[in-house]
Amino acid sequence: MTQNQSNRLPVVAKVNIVIIVAAVLFLVLCYFSTRETAAVSLTESIEPFGCANLEDGSREYFLDLRDYDYHYTGIKFYTSHQIVTVYNAGREIYSFNKTGGAFTSTTGSNWNFIPVNERMIQIAVIIKPIYGIVDNQVPEFFIGSAYQMYDEVMIASMPRFIVSLLIVIMSILLFVYYYLMHEKQKLTKELLHLACFSLFCGIWSLNETDVTLLLSSNKIVDSIVPYLCLMLVIPPFIQFFDSYLSINCSHVKKYIIWASLVQFVVLTTLHFMKIAEFRETLIIMQVMLIIASLYMVAGVIGQIVMKKYSRRLEICAIGLSLFMMTIIVDVVQYYTKKGDADRTGRYVFLIFIFLIAWDMIKEANEVIEKGKRAKQLEIFALTDSMTGLLNRNAFESHAKSADSLDGVIAVVADANGLKYCNDTFGHEAGDEYITLVADVFNDVYGKYGNCYRTGGDEFCCIIQESNQVNIERLRKMFLTKIHTADLEGGHEYNIGVAIGDACYDSKVDGDFRSLVKRADACMYENKRLSKTS
């Protein structure tokens, strides 16, 4: 294999590069295409002029619309796990109150867009929290063009949506790559764990974007799937990094995985029994994620302390450092911002997964190339360069490893008059003579066994299944082809071959070499008869 071929990128890596480049171009396009839009936006914040706490735990916000003309056609605000009802002059004009029934009590998260017009003086927004844990959420209200506000939310979230989608696509590509290549490249389940880990993270991240929130009609699924992904991500996360970094702390790994599985069963049961739903037990999921992350941190630190430096350790150390910074930023935004609070984490995660996948696929291809080179060297060591037949080394290897000889046939052949050909017509003619005999020998006997060049002009074929071979017919066919080559070939030298064969007989042959020796004796008898005839 040439140097260019050995450095050729795998298909999955090429697809990943194309995806990443396309994503970067798209994000840049989003940025520049929305700058002008943001400059002429009508959207502005509107503060309630009053707020009342109702007996059922709801809050009622009063918004004054008298200062806004016909350009302002909507009000938007974000709610999470809250029931919303909006009134104008005592008449209900909007509600968001559909829960999941048997699946969940929550309405999920939502961007609420309330249509208004210049004839409305004020509206009342009643927000009722479903869980006590979201009692302190205070919405931010915005007024502006309804369509423009919808577009602004959509455009602002689109880059994060694309990145999350890329993570999902990359994980699917890893699944496909593993399915197609795990036998050929002898891949371990390491890549499969990475694919599962990135898929759960990608689905969670995708469901957390405002684009999905606006496009999805099933708010209930959106409020359940992310929590399930957060719990399911821990086992493949632990399995992958334990193998990738060679942490090999089996007891700790086992405890964390079992704890995560128990968490999944218990929290899912509590959720569907309506005892404590996913949003109420989120803190437990976050604690388990922190424990799993600490396992990775400890693994990286342990490798550094033991000075087991490697490319894998460098990737994880860089990724871990970036994660720590982004986690701090995203946690602060989670508690201070409304809507999609994961502003930076998914970008770092995409780069991190890409680097790991690239590294693993590159390593797998390096192993394949080493295997190919080793195989080529083995072939060169066992192949005769002139004739292409197996050489003496291969023959001796076969002789040592031969176990069962039942039904084995040995065929030997020797070119007649090769020394005279070399002395008279030169070694080039002698090489041509040897190659011609080898080609005919392999053409006749090579279909049934392995053909060897055991000496200068000596050949041998070992046939394993004698019951499927008419050895007498093959001998006549071989001699006929040699005779034809001598008559029609136009060679300046005469072509003749002596041939002999023997079938294993346990009464006569003690081992493999004695079988070949009997075939040799048959061949020399054939040579003697051809000289006297």
Side-chain angles (χ1 to χ4, degrees):
M1 180 172 291
T2 64
Q3 185 67 27
N4 289 337
Q5 287 176 312
S6 63
N7 292 333
R8 187 176 297 163
L9 293 175
V11 175
V12 173
K14 292 180 180 178
V15 173
N16 285 342
I17 292 174
V18 171
I19 290 174
I20 296 295
V21 172
V24 171
L25 293 175
F26 181 83
L27 297 179
V28 172
L29 180 63
C30 283
Y31 173 75
F32 285 105
S33 63
T34 55
R35 291 177 67 187
E36 186 177 349
T37 303
V40 297
S41 174
L42 294 171
T43 303
E44 57 182 283
S45 176
I46 178 172
E47 294 291 335
F49 68 84
C51 176
N53 294 320
L54 307 183
E55 293 182 358
D56 63 354
S58 304
R59 282 199 183 99
E60 186 172 13
Y61 299 91
F62 302 97
L63 302 176
D64 191 345
L65 307 180
R66 286 176 293 183
D67 293 335
Y68 301 97
D69 59 20
Y70 67 94
H71 292 97
Y72 297 88
T73 58
I75 290 176
K76 75 170 181 179
F77 57 95
Y78 178 84
T79 55
S80 181
H81 308 289
Q82 295 168 320
I83 295 173
V84 178
T85 311
V86 182
Y87 295 92
N88 172 245
R91 181 174 61 88
E92 181 180 308
I93 61 174
Y94 175 84
S95 66
F96 179 70
N97 54 17
K98 183 180 179 181
T99 66
F103 294 98
T104 179
S105 301
T106 184
T107 55
S109 301
N110 188 50
W111 275 103
N112 302 273
F113 293 90
I114 317 301
V116 298
N117 57 60
E118 69 273 15
R119 293 190 297 275
M120 293 182 180
I121 297 175
Q122 69 177 37
I123 61 173
V125 180
I126 299 176
I127 299 178
K128 180 181 179 180
I130 294 172
Y131 307 126
I133 199 169
V134 297
D135 277 345
N136 59 348
Q137 287 187 2
V138 178
E140 294 181 60
F141 297 95
F142 298 88
I143 188 169
S145 166
Y147 292 110
Q148 189 178 62
M149 288 191 297
Y150 183 93
D151 288 344
E152 286 172 350
V153 174
M154 179 74 77
I155 292 172
S157 179
M158 187 60 72
R160 295 187 287 276
F161 174 81
I162 294 296
V163 170
S164 301
L165 187 61
L166 286 174
I167 295 172
V168 174
I169 293 173
M170 189 177 295
S171 64
I172 293 173
L173 287 172
L174 291 176
F175 276 116
V176 173
Y177 186 84
Y178 178 83
Y179 175 76
L180 295 176
M181 304 298 290
H182 74 280
E183 290 186 358
K184 180 179 178 181
Q185 295 187 338
K186 306 299 180 185
L187 296 174
T188 64
K189 291 187 177 180
E190 199 173 86
L191 193 66
L192 191 61
H193 292 147
L194 176 63
C196 292
F197 163 53
S198 60
L199 179 64
F200 289 133
C201 287
I203 294 175
W204 167 78
S205 180
L206 197 65
N207 275 272
E208 289 293 296
T209 62
D210 289 335
V211 173
T212 302
L213 201 62
L214 294 176
L215 296 179
S216 174
S217 59
N218 194 330
K219 308 296 182 184
I220 310 309
V221 171
D222 290 341
S223 66
I224 294 177
V225 170
Y227 299 108
L228 294 176
C229 288
L230 281 178
M231 292 187 287
L232 291 173
V233 76
I234 294 177
F237 173 85
I238 293 294
Q239 292 274 26
F240 170 72
F241 281 106
D242 183 80
S243 175
Y244 187 71
L245 291 174
S246 300
I247 300 174
N248 297 325
C249 192
S250 58
H251 293 298
V252 177
K253 177 182 74 172
K254 187 188 300 181
Y255 292 146
I256 295 176
I257 291 175
W258 274 108
S260 70
L261 294 176
V262 170
Q263 171 200 237
F264 178 83
V265 173
V266 172
L267 296 190
T268 302
T269 302
L270 292 175
H271 174 86
F272 285 104
M273 291 180 68
K274 303 294 182 68
I275 297 173
E277 297 193 4
F278 287 140
R279 178 60 182 87
E280 298 173 286
T281 56
L282 177 61
I283 184 65
I284 300 176
M285 303 179 200
Q286 292 172 333
V287 169
M288 282 302 304
L289 287 170
I290 291 173
I291 292 173
S293 300
L294 289 176
Y295 183 78
M296 175 187 169
V297 173
V300 171
I301 294 175
Q303 297 284 310
I304 295 174
V305 170
M306 292 185 290
K307 297 182 178 179
K308 294 183 177 180
Y309 302 116
S310 64
R311 187 170 58 190
R312 291 185 169 193
L313 180 62
E314 292 175 359
I315 293 173
C316 287
I318 294 171
L320 188 61
S321 302
L322 293 174
F323 268 135
M324 290 303 179
M325 292 186 289
T326 58
I327 285 173
I328 294 173
V329 173
D330 291 341
V331 167
V332 171
Q333 290 191 347
Y334 178 79
Y335 290 103
T336 58
K337 301 289 184 180
K338 306 300 179 186
D340 182 7
D342 184 8
R343 304 285 173 171
T344 55
R346 51 173 58 93
Y347 296 97
V348 174
F349 184 79
L350 175 63
I351 296 171
F352 187 45
I353 293 298
F354 176 79
L355 289 176
I356 291 177
W358 178 284
D359 180 60
M360 292 180 65
I361 293 173
K362 183 179 179 181
E363 283 185 0
N365 278 275
E366 286 175 352
V367 170
I368 285 181
E369 294 304 326
K370 288 179 181 178
K372 287 181 178 178
R373 287 193 290 270
K375 188 67 176 177
Q376 288 174 338
L377 291 174
E378 181 183 356
I379 292 173
F380 291 151
L382 300 177
T383 302
D384 178 60
S385 59
M386 181 189 296
T387 63
L389 301 183
L390 295 170
N391 62 15
R392 184 77 191 187
N393 292 334
F395 180 79
E396 293 296 336
S397 177
H398 181 92
K400 292 177 182 178
S401 62
D403 295 325
S404 176
L405 296 176
D406 291 338
V408 173
I409 297 175
V411 181
V412 295
D414 183 273
N416 295 330
L418 178 63
K419 184 177 184 305
Y420 175 79
C421 178
N422 281 327
D423 293 342
T424 306
F425 304 106
H427 287 282
E428 186 175 338
D431 292 345
E432 182 185 53
Y433 188 177
I434 292 171
T435 303
L436 186 151
V437 173
D439 289 343
V440 176
F441 188 74
N442 189 56
D443 182 51
V444 175
Y445 291 100
K447 301 173 184 177
Y448 305 96
N450 292 329
C451 294
Y452 305 85
R453 182 188 178 194
T454 55
D457 58 349
E458 299 169 357
F459 305 93
C460 179
C461 179
I462 305 301
I463 302 173
Q464 299 291 339
E465 300 293 337
S466 61
N467 58 341
Q468 298 180 5
V469 176
N470 186 332
I471 197 67
E472 183 66 27
R473 183 182 67 85
L474 292 181
R475 187 190 308 121
K476 291 179 180 178
M477 183 186 301
F478 174 73
L479 292 174
T480 299
K481 288 193 174 186
I482 289 294
H483 184 64
T484 302
D486 186 39
L487 291 178
E488 301 177 357
H491 303 287
E492 53 188 351
Y493 47 83
N494 295 323
I495 301 173
V497 181
I499 190 164
D501 51 66
C503 183
Y504 176 73
D505 185 346
S506 58
K507 297 178 182 179
V508 179
D509 302 315
D511 55 20
F512 176 79
R513 293 190 183 279
S514 63
L515 169 63
V516 175
K517 189 174 182 180
R518 279 203 304 120
D520 248 352
C522 180
M523 181 269 294
Y524 281 116
E525 179 63 19
N526 176 265
K527 184 185 285 283
R528 186 184 66 79
L529 292 174
S530 65
K531 288 181 179 179
T532 58
S533 60

